Amino acid sequence: MTITITAFERSPDGGKGLARDTRVRWALEEVGQPYQVRLVSFAAMKEPAHLARHPFGQIPTYEEGNLALFETWSIVLHLAERHAGLLPDDANPRARAITWMFAAINTVEPPILDLTTAKILEGDRPWATERLPLVVDRIRDRLNQLSARLGDADWLDGAFSAGDLMMVSVLLRLRMSGILDEYPNLAAYVARGEARPAYKRAFEAQLAVNTR
Ligand SMILES: N[C@@H](CCC(=O)N[C@@H](CS)C(=O)NCC(=O)O)C(=O)O
């Protein structure tokens, strides 16, 4: 059955791969599933046809036969559960890999998203310069903990998994800030993710859209 995902017609990051369709593309590449992409403009995302796919008018979405999904983690989990390559077979390691997926989006990503809000959306507010260091401190708190847990390991829990796919994707959002470089093991972890052939294919595919 044909898989169709949605992505920005023009990503605000100009092709740095930070929009969440890259996470879905990466998962699809890891599990070797071909896919098509429906590109949507910001205006089209808020129209009924797209709202039927995504109630919040965002990307990415996923369609396969009569199944339509939204929320990146749910799409990645769907793929990981149905195809080999992103989750261990044994129940306990599998549950731990899924835990890392949620840790990425629920525990590590929120302060990272706050940084974008603080810098871009709230950067001109009178209190912005006071707030920014607090936001950065909250990111460092999480990275200190993550760095300690990762240690010298290549991946978070044994072999590469959907948990690493989500965590690397989340950490990539920090690269421009320079904060990631304060944690050499996390910077190396992200580089290992980016070096995966599946990531490279996903990155190139989104770049091609954004540099047309
Ligand atoms: N929780 C959602 C967030 C989706 C999301 O924020 N998508 C962004 C692109 S990465 C978007 O569509 N932004 C445009 C908008 O919200 O209007 C997920 O993980 O899929």
Side-chain angles (χ1 to χ4, degrees), residues 8 18-20 42 45-46 54 57-60 71-72 173:
F8 284 131
L18 302 180
R20 288 173 177 82
F42 270 86
M45 284 194 298
K46 310 303 173 197
H54 195 309
Q58 298 181 312
I59 60 99
E71 287 297 336
T72 307
R173 291 194 161 220

Side-chain angles (χ1 to χ4, degrees), residues 122-142:
E122 299 168 351
D124 58 351
R125 301 297 174 93
W127 34 262
T129 47
E130 253 183 277
R131 180 166 185 251
L132 195 57
L134 303 178
V135 173
V136 171
D137 280 351
R138 282 197 289 272
I139 294 174
R140 288 203 180 102
D141 284 347
R142 286 293 176 242

